[in-house]
Amino acid sequence: MAETKKVLIAEDSSVIQNLTKKILMMQNYSIHSAKNGEQVLKALESESFDIILMDINMPKMDGMECTRAIRAMDDQEKSAIPIIAITGNAKNYSIEDFKEAGINEYLQKPLNFDQLVETVKKLTN
């Protein structure tokens, strides 16, 4: 059996976080969660993840700022973690903005959970 992949969900909405967690747990992913960018960076200090689902609009530190901080980390493994941006207002950002920040893919809210699972699988294999 393949090892369980670890997903960090950075999302300030408990509803979206819980739904995403349930969907991915049914796919045998190990789920960890954070409510803001600061919590993401703190989690990365002590753990490694296979992928991060990053809400763009979060309190304290948003997803774009957090992604840039991850990409700037000295730990090359952690700085290269695939990041999927999740946002309800992608109109505020262009694909170039996401790529410049270091985001690998982005998904629009409301989430299409089939697309979410497919994208997570693609980036963790």
Side-chain angles (χ1 to χ4, degrees):
M1 171 122 188
E3 80 177 67
T4 302
K5 302 283 186 179
K6 287 173 67 175
V7 178
L8 177 58
I9 302 171
E11 170 64 65
D12 61 325
S13 162
S14 299
V15 172
I16 294 170
Q17 195 176 88
N18 289 333
L19 277 171
T20 307
K21 192 182 284 190
K22 283 188 173 99
I23 299 291
L24 292 174
M25 285 173 75
M26 289 191 311
Q27 302 292 322
N28 293 321
Y29 288 97
S30 171
I31 309 298
H32 303 264
S33 53
K35 291 272 190 191
N36 61 57
E38 288 177 0
Q39 290 180 5
V40 169
L41 296 177
K42 192 172 242 27
L44 282 169
E45 286 174 15
S46 57
E47 290 187 67
S48 290
F49 298 93
D50 295 294
I51 193 163
I52 298 172
L53 302 180
M54 184 78 73
D55 183 20
I56 295 303
N57 297 310
M58 294 184 291
K60 294 187 181 177
M61 178 188 280
D62 72 22
M64 296 295 272
E65 187 181 346
C66 184
T67 298
R68 287 187 189 97
I70 292 167
R71 295 301 183 228
M73 292 174 101
D74 290 333
D75 182 324
Q76 289 187 336
E77 198 172 296
K78 289 182 181 181
S79 70
I81 295 170
I83 297 175
I84 301 173
I86 297 173
T87 183
N89 54 357
K91 293 172 194 72
N92 294 353
Y93 297 102
S94 68
I95 297 297
E96 287 73 36
D97 292 333
F98 288 137
K99 286 192 184 331
E100 176 271 322
I103 288 167
N104 300 81
E105 297 271 347
Y106 98 90
L107 298 173
Q108 185 77 34
K109 287 179 186 173
L111 283 175
N112 171 328
F113 288 105
D114 291 335
Q115 188 181 17
L116 171 72
V117 169
E118 188 179 304
T119 306
V120 169
K121 281 183 178 170
K122 180 177 84 176
L123 292 176
T124 57
N125 285 336

